[in-house]
Amino acid sequence: MPLFQTIQFNETTKILIWEITESFEELLGKVVLKEKTKKRLDGMKSQMHQRAFLSVRMLIQEMGFTDKDLHYDEFGKPYFDCHNHISITHSYHFAAIIISHETVGIDMELQREKIIRIGDKFTDYESEYLDPSSKEDYIKKLTVIWGAKEAIFKIRNEKGISFKDHIKVKNFSLNEGQTEASLHFDVLVKDFNVHYEEIKSDNFEGKFTLVYAFEK
Ligand SMILES: CC(C)(COP(=O)(O)OP(=O)(O)OC[C@H]1O[C@@H](n2cnc3c(N)ncnc32)[C@H](O)[C@@H]1OP(=O)(O)O)[C@@H](O)C(=O)NCCC(=O)NCCS
């Protein structure tokens, strides 16, 4: 299946999600890659990763860009030469990008029970409002928090940022679809608007959480 979902968030922000059902060969035949990208693709150990990587190129093409327009900085953060910001995520059989004139980050995660075990590694401030007694909501909320912190990390991309100590996600209810977060790192304080929604496909048993953040 090609494009799974498009979210036109505002005038200059679009989120595109690809459901990866095509084979590696099929995807490879549909994208034009520069030499640097081909080398990176060849070096990937898993074919699922390769297919996700190619699906991102399909999404970029959907938006009228090509692989030639996409660059990476020394930390692996993607960027375009123009005024558009881009952030990328892949999770299992989904790949997603956000493109915006604003400073943005995106993350997509499968909702898994396992997140409960590592919850205290990336939450601290949030434990004031998290309620472990309702297991299903607890998993969903932890996944939103994790996704928000990943998305913010992708925006700021600074060495030494601790999800637990430096990023705070404000209380939210699951059906609200939005919250706020802040990054407190060294002398820097930055605020973010965070949006989240659940993504479900007929081809996969689990539910995913899509999170994207805008720097205020
Ligand atoms: C780099 C990182 C943000 C990637 O996130 P992930 O959930 O593993 O993977 P995703 O599929 O969501 O994102 C991968 C994409 O992020 C982008 N990315 C990689 N490094 C990045 C960086 N430093 N800044 C912004 N974006 C980055 C890339 O586009 C990459 O995909 P691509 O290389 O195929 O284009 C993540 O691995 C990371 O380092 N997180 C911080 C670790 C941390 O502090 N953890 C706390 C544990 S408590």
Side-chain angles (χ1 to χ4, degrees):
M1 178 163 155
L3 194 55
F4 178 78
Q5 195 177 335
T6 302
I7 304 165
Q8 182 77 52
F9 181 78
N10 61 27
E11 218 177 298
T12 72
T13 308
K14 214 166 174 175
I15 296 120
L16 299 182
I17 305 173
W18 192 273
E19 185 171 22
I20 312 161
T21 53
E22 303 83 352
S23 67
F24 171 76
E25 290 74 19
E26 213 176 321
L27 288 164
L28 192 61
K30 287 184 179 157
V31 292
V32 180
L33 303 177
K34 59 187 177 206
E35 274 314 308
K36 204 172 172 184
T37 307
K38 282 185 196 160
K39 270 197 195 133
R40 203 176 150 204
L41 186 69
D42 288 344
M44 286 174 185
K45 289 192 187 101
S46 113
Q47 201 176 79
M48 196 57 226
H49 188 196
Q50 289 179 316
R51 287 163 72 205
F53 187 78
L54 290 172
S55 300
V56 167
R57 270 70 203 162
M58 295 294 284
L59 292 173
I60 287 168
Q61 289 183 182
E62 285 280 339
M63 287 292 291
F65 295 95
T66 70
D67 177 58
K68 267 197 183 148
D69 302 314
L70 183 67
H71 309 283
Y72 289 88
D73 74 6
E74 61 187 300
F75 305 109
K77 180 174 178 164
Y79 66 93
F80 287 132
D81 278 333
C82 61
H83 49 275
N84 282 296
H85 295 266
I86 180 166
S87 184
I88 294 171
T89 184
H90 16 73
S91 183
Y92 295 86
H93 68 315
F94 279 119
I97 62 170
I98 185 167
I99 293 184
S100 177
H101 286 189
E102 297 177 60
T103 312
V104 283
I106 194 168
D107 192 59
M108 199 160 166
E109 297 287 336
L110 177 64
Q111 294 170 10
R112 282 183 291 189
E113 196 167 332
K114 181 176 141 188
I115 200 163
I116 294 176
R117 273 192 276 128
I118 58 160
D120 65 349
K121 289 199 164 53
F122 66 92
T123 59
D124 184 20
Y125 164 84
E126 297 80 9
S127 56
E128 280 174 26
Y129 63 79
L130 281 167
D131 175 14
S133 68
S134 163
K135 198 169 158 192
E136 205 186 324
D137 280 4
Y138 186 45
I139 292 169
K140 285 178 196 265
K141 282 201 167 188
L142 281 173
T143 312
V144 170
I145 292 166
W146 173 263
K149 294 189 178 194
E150 282 279 6
I152 289 166
F153 178 81
K154 286 179 184 174
I155 292 175
R156 292 308 304 187
N157 190 21
E158 267 152 88
K159 242 191 169 169
I161 290 178
S162 150
F163 282 13
K164 185 183 175 84
D165 300 329
H166 301 140
I167 306 177
K168 296 177 185 181
V169 179
K170 278 195 190 160
N171 196 1
F172 57 96
S173 75
L174 284 166
N175 49 22
E176 223 172 337
Q178 58 180 322
T179 183
E180 290 171 320
S182 53
L183 170 71
H184 305 250
F185 186 55
D186 286 342
V187 288
L188 179 95
V189 181
K190 284 278 172 194
D191 295 314
F192 301 86
N193 284 320
V194 175
H195 299 264
Y196 48 88
E197 63 183 79
E198 205 165 79
I199 305 287
K200 173 93 187 85
S201 123
D202 295 339
N203 300 319
F204 200 82
E205 224 181 282
K207 289 179 187 156
F208 290 79
T209 301
L210 173 73
V211 186
Y212 43 100
F214 294 83
E215 188 171 317
K216 285 196 200 174

